[in-house]
């Protein structure tokens, strides 16, 4: 089996590629050309599989339809996992057009799938952000979408196009509506990783405080490693469909902070301050998912609890901070955090 993974250098790109390679897949992934190295998450896979058929990397960008078209023709994958996106909600308010181009990129990719002679299955990384989170309710595949950011609107466009291509052309188009999922590989500007990074550094006396925005926002946070298995299960189901993946629990940012600091015996109130610069023009206040459909039909289950997730992230970031501390003491690193 051959899979094409766009956004392979991201958090989910790493976990999914590892999962697929372990299942015997040949993985083909797209990376963006950057002036610095941007493959750190997948470096362990590159080290292990470079030069073998298991891992193949190509420069591409979701906004370059001709490169994606060429890749689909060249690789003729059995499955495409479209993970690439400017995925930061706050950034999408600053870069709305760029963020939205990823949605058009998805449409171009769907065209390539439609024009291919091969029956290619297509997975779209849809998001719980599309719901808008205005009401305190459990959200499933039938809940209404009410996007509150350019990011959410662009995801909804791609989601709808994917459904339209499924219904109009009989393509195997799957939408995975995933609630927030995190890991030690989460981007450092997302709130969970920002917190765990800070806790590691504060514990090691190389950071003094942590500035956050809205502490009352509530999210249904799961572990990314569990969620990539769900993506694959959706693609193995006999019919293409829309599926929610979530834990069924929601927690505030403040609860995340509290557990993260407590896990290393610190009182968060001594270190955390709020700053309006981290507030968004429009906030998604409350997200809670109902993944009954995926759990009963696909037999998917989130395995890592909220507390385990927080502790796993803090533990890994304490190790990183210990290394940073050594470099600072040897004058090999000159940086201060908050
Ligand atoms: P991530 O860590 O931000 O990774 C995004 C990936 O997309 C990176 O490889 C990035 O490349 C790439 N990318 C960004 N813009 C691109 C473009 N124009 N063309 C090609 N590649 C581009 O995100 P993630 O957490 O792994 O999430 C994966 C997907 O699931 C995203 O589409 C995200 O919106 C969606 N999603 C995530 C969550 C979540 O909680 N994690 C929940 C629901 C949906 P660089 O490494 O070079 O930046
Ligand atoms: N990033 C960030 N930084 N968020 C903060 C901060 C801060 O300093 N302080 C409070 N928050 C709040 C945000 O306002 C938001 O309500 C919540 O923490 C979570 O923010 P993020 O971690 O940035 O994630 P997100 O929920 O906006 O988006 C993530 O989940 C979506 C799925 O619902 C991203 O991964 C999206 O790509 C994904 O689709």
């Amino acid at each position: 089996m051959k899979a094409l993974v766009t956004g392979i250098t991201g958090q989910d790109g790493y976990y999914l590629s590892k999962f697929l390679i372990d299942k015997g897949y040949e993985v083909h992934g797209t990376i963006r050309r950057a002036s610095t190295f941007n493959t750190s998450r997948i470096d362990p896979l590159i080290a292990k599989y470079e030069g073998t058929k298991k891992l193949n990397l190509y420069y591409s960008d979701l906004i370059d339809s001709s490169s994606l078209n060429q890749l689909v023709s060249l690789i003729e994958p059995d499955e495409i996992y479209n993970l690439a996106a400017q995925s930061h909600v706050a950034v999408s308010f600053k870069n709305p057009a760029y963020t939205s181009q990823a949605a058009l990129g998805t449409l171009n990719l769907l065209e390539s799938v439609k024009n291919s002679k091969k029956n290619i299955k297509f997975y779209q990384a849809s998001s719980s952000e599309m719901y808008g989170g205005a009401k305190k309710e459990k959200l499933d595949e039938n809940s209404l979408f009410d996007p509150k950011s350019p990011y959410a609107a662009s995801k909804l466009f791609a989601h709808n196009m994917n459904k339209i291509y499924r219904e109009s052309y009989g393509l195997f188009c799957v939408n995975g509506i995933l609630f927030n999922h995190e890991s030690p590989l989460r981007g450092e500007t997302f709130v969970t990783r920002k917190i765990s990074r800070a806790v590691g550094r504060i514990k090691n006396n190389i950071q003094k405080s942590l500035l956050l925005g809205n502490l009352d926002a509530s999210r249904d946070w799961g572990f990314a490693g569990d969620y990539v298995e769900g993506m694959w299960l959706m693609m193995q189901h006999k019919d293409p469909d829309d599926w929610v993946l979530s834990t069924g629990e929601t927690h505030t940012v403040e609860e995340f902070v509290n557990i993260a600091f407590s896990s290393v015996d610190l009182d968060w109130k001594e270190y955390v301050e709020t700053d309006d610069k981290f507030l968004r023009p429009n906030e998604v206040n409350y997200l809670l998912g109902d993944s009954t459909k995926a759990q009963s039909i696909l037999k998917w289950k989130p395995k890592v609890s909220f507390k385990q997730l927080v502790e796993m992230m803090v533990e890994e970031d304490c190790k990183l901070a210990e290394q940073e501390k050594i470099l600072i003491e040897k004058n090999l690193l000159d940086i201060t955090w908050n």
Side-chain angles (χ1 to χ4, degrees):
M1 291 288 281
K2 280 192 272 187
L4 171 60
V5 179
T6 70
I8 195 169
T9 54
Q11 170 190 256
D12 292 4
Y14 166 76
Y15 284 103
L16 178 66
S17 302
K18 183 171 185 322
F19 178 88
L20 293 175
I21 290 173
D22 289 348
K23 282 229 165 280
Y25 276 67
E26 210 176 87
V27 171
H28 298 256
T30 67
I31 57 173
R32 298 196 292 178
R33 196 269 158 186
S35 65
T36 52
F37 293 115
N38 61 355
T39 56
S40 62
R41 289 190 181 97
I42 56 165
D43 280 347
L45 299 179
I46 294 175
K48 199 163 173 193
Y49 299 113
E50 195 171 28
T52 75
K53 276 182 140 192
K54 286 179 190 285
L55 183 67
N56 311 268
L57 299 173
Y58 311 82
Y59 283 119
S60 182
D61 195 298
L62 211 52
I63 61 183
D64 180 353
S65 57
S66 65
S67 80
L68 290 169
N69 201 3
Q70 278 173 31
L71 282 182
V72 172
S73 306
L74 175 82
I75 299 162
E76 294 196 316
D78 300 284
E79 298 172 0
I80 296 179
Y81 293 87
N82 186 33
L83 308 183
Q86 187 303 94
S87 72
H88 202 283
V89 175
V91 171
S92 81
F93 286 100
K94 309 264 185 214
N95 293 230
Y98 178 70
T99 304
S100 302
Q101 279 172 14
L104 213 52
T106 301
L107 174 57
N108 289 327
L109 200 45
L110 280 167
E111 272 294 300
S112 305
V113 170
K114 177 163 82 77
N115 295 332
S116 170
K117 287 187 280 318
K118 191 160 178 173
N119 289 327
I120 301 171
K121 295 183 181 181
F122 188 85
Y123 173 89
Q124 171 57 17
S126 286
S127 165
S128 52
E129 194 69 15
M130 302 185 307
Y131 292 116
K135 287 197 207 131
K136 292 198 168 179
E137 60 184 354
K138 268 201 157 186
L139 300 157
D140 66 16
E141 294 79 3
N142 299 313
S143 304
L144 289 182
F145 297 123
D146 181 16
K148 296 272 191 282
S149 64
Y151 167 81
S154 84
K155 280 286 175 189
L156 185 54
F157 174 85
H159 177 95
N160 283 333
M161 279 298 171
N162 201 27
K163 197 158 178 252
I164 287 166
Y165 272 57
R166 180 205 301 158
E167 290 169 355
S168 308
Y169 308 119
L171 300 180
F172 198 101
C173 295
V174 168
N175 280 314
I177 309 169
L178 271 50
F179 282 66
N180 297 51
H181 45 280
E182 320 292 312
S183 73
L185 295 181
R186 183 58 142 153
E188 296 189 20
T189 57
F190 295 95
V191 76
T192 55
R193 189 79 198 288
K194 185 174 165 183
I195 296 165
S196 61
R197 269 310 241 154
V199 170
R201 286 172 177 149
I202 290 170
K203 185 69 185 170
N204 281 279
N205 296 314
I206 56 172
Q207 181 170 336
K208 291 192 169 57
S209 62
L210 167 63
L211 290 180
L212 292 172
N214 179 11
L215 297 183
D216 296 327
S218 224
R219 289 291 182 275
D220 183 327
W221 277 297
F223 171 54
D226 290 344
Y227 285 52
V228 299
E229 184 185 9
M231 294 177 190
W232 178 79
L233 286 169
M234 292 173 204
M235 295 284 265
Q236 312 316 308
H237 188 62
K238 62 181 180 359
D239 299 315
D241 208 343
D242 299 340
W243 305 89
V244 162
L245 296 185
S246 65
T247 67
E249 271 183 39
T250 191
H251 298 273
T252 60
V253 173
E254 185 177 311
E255 282 175 79
F256 193 106
V257 166
N258 187 7
I259 296 182
F261 278 84
S262 304
S263 72
V264 291
D265 302 318
L266 294 174
D267 179 359
W268 70 272
K269 291 192 175 127
E270 291 176 22
Y271 303 97
V272 176
E273 292 161 35
T274 53
D275 188 323
D276 285 357
K277 78 175 176 209
F278 294 111
L279 298 179
R280 297 167 182 190
N282 204 355
E283 176 66 295
V284 169
N285 288 310
Y286 185 91
L287 289 177
L288 172 61
D290 178 351
S291 55
T292 304
K293 180 173 157 185
Q295 298 207 31
S296 59
I297 299 177
L298 302 178
K299 308 294 173 213
W300 174 79
K301 219 167 84 172
K303 298 182 192 89
V304 175
S305 73
F306 177 65
K307 188 162 178 283
Q308 286 170 330
L309 174 68
V310 181
E311 288 174 354
M312 173 206 299
M313 292 177 71
V314 170
E315 194 181 325
E316 289 306 310
D317 281 335
C318 281
K319 290 183 203 156
L320 284 183
E322 281 160 24
Q323 291 164 13
E324 286 169 342
K325 189 179 181 178
I326 293 170
L327 293 176
I328 289 170
E329 285 169 354
K330 290 185 176 168
N331 287 324
L332 294 170
L333 185 63
D334 182 13
I335 188 167
T336 44
W337 294 276
N338 282 336

